[in-house]
């Protein structure tokens, strides 16, 4: 993943902020030396960090007292995250936001086998290689998934939630 990723922040009062995440690492905690300082008692001095490695983004809990949650689940150590995942640190909600093209790159990199594995698979299946049409068939689907993920991230950033349609009887009762 490369390019203009952002970390979206929302505090318990609903105030939102977007910070650039150009690459490498963003440390999070109460300590003054943190890249992102969150001054709340339920945030440890060195609480967590976001990392970008090999085209993926991870969040890592650094042994915090109150823990780090991803989509409601408390994590131990490092966990891969994608745009639309909710990361909770103390009273703060964090999420990733990136452009649709970047999300498509992330999906392609995540699904691609490591170079050594790809070379071994290519050598084994050289005689029965699928047609180029077949191997490229997944690309439109990956792009649709990427656009859907981007829409979810944008909706999350805007504070919107999707609601299921209500039956006519429920609408009439209002």
């Amino acid at each position: 993943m490369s390019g203009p990723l952002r970390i979206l922040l929302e505090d318990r009062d609903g105030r939102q902020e977007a910070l650039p995440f150009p690459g490498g690492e963003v440390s999070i905690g109460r300590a003054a030396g943190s890249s992102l300082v969150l001054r709340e008692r339920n945030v440890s001095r060195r609480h967590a960090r976001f990392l970008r490695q090999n085209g993926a983004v991870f969040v890592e809990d650094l042994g915090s007292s109150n823990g780090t949650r991803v989509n409601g689940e408390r994590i131990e150590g490092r966990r891969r995250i994608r745009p639309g995942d909710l990361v909770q640190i103390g009273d703060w909600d964090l999420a990733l936001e990136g452009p649709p093209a970047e999300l498509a790159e992330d999906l392609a990199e995540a699904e691609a086998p490591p170079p050594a594995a790809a070379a071994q698979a290519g050598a084994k299946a050289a005689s029965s290689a699928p047609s180029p049409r077949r191997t490229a068939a997944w690309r439109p689907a990956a792009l649709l998934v990427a656009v859907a993920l981007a829409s979810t991230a944008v909706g999350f950033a805007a504070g919107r939630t999707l609601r299921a349609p209500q039956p006519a009887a429920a609408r009439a009762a209002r």
Side-chain angles (χ1 to χ4, degrees), residues 9-17 91-93 157 159:
L9 294 157
E10 184 173 334
D11 67 10
R12 65 177 164 201
D13 296 327
R15 289 184 297 258
Q16 297 178 351
E17 187 177 348
D91 292 331
W92 294 84
D93 292 340

Side-chain angles (χ1 to χ4, degrees), residues 147-167:
V147 169
L149 285 172
S151 299
T152 302
V154 169
F156 176 80
R160 295 185 202 122
T161 57
L162 298 176
R163 293 193 176 93
Q166 294 182 342

Side-chain angles (χ1 to χ4, degrees), residues 1 24 49 51-58 78 109:
M1 218 186 270
R49 66 184 180 158
L51 301 160
R52 288 178 76 170
Q53 291 182 328
N54 300 326
V57 177
F58 298 88
R78 189 179 290 188
E109 288 176 12

Side-chain angles (χ1 to χ4, degrees), residues 9-156:
L9 294 157
E10 184 173 334
D11 67 10
R12 65 177 164 201
D13 296 327
R15 289 184 297 258
Q16 297 178 351
E17 187 177 348
L19 303 168
F21 183 17
E25 177 181 323
V26 173
S27 61
I28 302 166
R30 274 193 346 250
S34 298
S35 306
L36 177 57
V37 177
L38 302 178
R39 300 198 188 280
E40 297 287 332
R41 289 195 161 272
N42 57 4
V43 176
S44 296
R45 286 186 294 275
R46 290 187 63 241
H47 197 104
R49 66 184 180 158
F50 282 88
L51 301 160
R52 288 178 76 170
Q53 291 182 328
N54 300 326
V57 177
F58 298 88
V59 65
E60 180 178 12
D61 185 81
L62 300 174
S64 65
S65 299
N66 293 316
T68 301
R69 297 184 180 279
V70 175
N71 298 326
E73 180 185 337
R74 188 171 177 159
I75 64 167
E76 298 281 329
R78 189 179 290 188
R79 169 82 55 93
R80 180 171 184 173
I81 58 171
R82 293 180 171 89
D85 286 342
L86 175 66
V87 177
Q88 296 169 300
I89 295 176
D91 292 331
W92 294 84
D93 292 340
L94 297 89
L96 290 177
E97 177 185 62
E102 187 169 330
L103 296 175
E105 282 178 23
D106 180 42
L107 286 173
E109 288 176 12
E111 293 174 359
Q120 288 175 351
K124 287 181 183 175
S127 62
S128 62
S131 72
R133 270 197 183 147
R134 257 196 182 152
T135 57
W138 66 271
R139 289 183 183 142
L143 184 58
L144 287 174
V145 170
V147 169
L149 285 172
S151 299
T152 302
V154 169
F156 176 80

